[in-house]
Structures are given as structure tokens and as C-alpha cells.
Amino acid sequence: MTDVALHGAKMTQDAPSREEVLKVSGLKTYFRTRRGVVKAVDGASLTGAKGETVGGVGESGSGKSITSLSILGLLPQPVGRIEEGRIEFCGEDLVTKSAAEMRRIRGKRISMILQDPMTSLNPVLTIGDQLTEPLRQHRKLTSKAAWSKAAELLSKVHIPSPGRRLHQYPHEMSGGMRQRVVSAIGLSCEPELLIADEPTTALDVTIQAQVLELLRDLQNELQFAMIFITHDLSVVATICDKVAVMYAGRIVESGTTSQIFKNPAHPYTKALLNS
């Protein structure tokens, strides 16, 4: 299975070095609860470069999504807090940014695609309303220009009749269509970093392949760095350049996709592959 899966993977070990977009160093994100301190992320470090995809794998509760929320500055307050570490984005430490500064970065320079488009899309707003919001907020487009750009984005993610779709509500679309809409929203401001949190989990295999191909094509065009969080190792083999394996809040092993699949060193990584 490994060799077949890796046949289509993006290999980068012989590629020239790329411009570094993200560098997370010694990140510790803790939650202070009535029962004590929960060390959700306990010393994680990873890097991501322009045009590169880093896969974050591990079981539920291993710290993958909390790492992403730490990068975005979206930890639940007041219980969640970054205790230690640096999150360098294009040379700037996000840990030191104020809430107002993070609002200017989040959605524009760093975007996120959530795993369930039915819950991440507002059911009472049209697709057009939701897609034009970041365009008006971050790119300062007029309403007319934003709707024109929104139709262009839907076309780019291969949604037919984009002008008509803009006036529809999420429940009027299939799961695959909704996932494409969420992807379009995440990419609307052409971010430098895209975090995809299990974006294909709820999709069937055929639609999953289409979404992965779409993300890969858009990344080739826009050259954003991407963190791709998933449980599915076949997806990792298909789309990721590097892999970071998380367990109990720590990255226990990292390396190129080829290295991790062919020569896993940590017992947990071996167990994941064997499962």
C-alpha cells in the first residue's frame, strides 16, 4: 500500500530550498481547568515553506487542531493559553501579536479550511454573502467587485453556474460542493499560509480525490504554504511533502513523506502505518 500511495506523492528531498513561511518552535499550549492543567500541546516544533504541504497526523486528541488554533490565535478564552514557544510567520512572532493585529492577519494572510462545511458555513446566509465577506473586509472591495470576484472564485474551484450558486444557501448544495465553497472562502484573499483541518473526512472517495487535486492545483498556482491535518495516511501520501506525527501533544517524528512511510523510526508512527 505504501509504495502505491507514494507513487503520486510530492517528493521534495531533492528540490531546492524554499522560502520559509512558518516556523513553530517549542510550542506549549495549556488549558487551565477545574481538574488541573491540560497540556494539549507540549513542545511542538514544525516548519512550512512556500509551496510546501506539511501533513499533521495522529489520533484524536493528539494536539493537531490545537496547534492550528494556536497559530491562528483562536484558542478558547480564558482557559486556553500559549505558555511557551514561538510561532514565526514570515519572520514575525504571532505569539506577541495583539487581538487586533491577529484579526488583520487571520483570514487574509493565514486562512483555515474546516472539516465540516455544513457547520462552518452559516445556514441562514447565502453562499455569496459568506464568500464576499472576507473580500470586503480584507481586500476592501466594493460590493459589486466582491460579487464578481466571488463568482470567479467559485469557477476556479470548479463549481458550475457560479452566478446562480452565489444566491443559494448551503443546504441546497451537495457535501462536495460545500467543501469547494469553504475552500474558495479560505483562498479568497490569496493567503500565504493555509491550514486545512481534515477537509476531506466527510467526503466519499471520489469527491475526496477531486478536492485533493483541486487544493494541489491551487497551491501550484498561488504557492501558499499548507498544513494539512488528517487521520488518513493515504491522503498524506498523496498531497504532503513532509509529515509531522503527533502523540500526546508532542511531535514524536517528522520528515519527508518518503522517509516517514518507508523508514518510520518511532513506535507510534509504525503503529499508525500498521493500522
Side-chain angles (χ1 to χ4, degrees), residues 115-135:
Q115 62 177 291
D116 187 353
M118 201 58 208
T119 56
S120 58
L121 290 172
N122 191 323
V124 301
L125 295 179
T126 66
I127 297 301
D129 288 333
Q130 297 179 70
L131 189 46
T132 57
E133 182 181 1
L135 295 170

Side-chain angles (χ1 to χ4, degrees), residues 81-95:
R81 181 178 175 182
I82 295 176
E83 296 288 340
E84 290 183 26
R86 291 174 61 85
I87 303 173
E88 296 177 60
F89 171 66
C90 296
E92 302 177 70
D93 188 3
L94 299 183
V95 176

Side-chain angles (χ1 to χ4, degrees), residues 20-25 45-48 86-90:
E20 190 173 82
V21 173
L22 177 71
K23 183 178 181 181
V24 179
S25 307
S45 300
L46 61 88
T47 61
R86 291 174 61 85
I87 303 173
E88 296 177 60
F89 171 66
C90 296

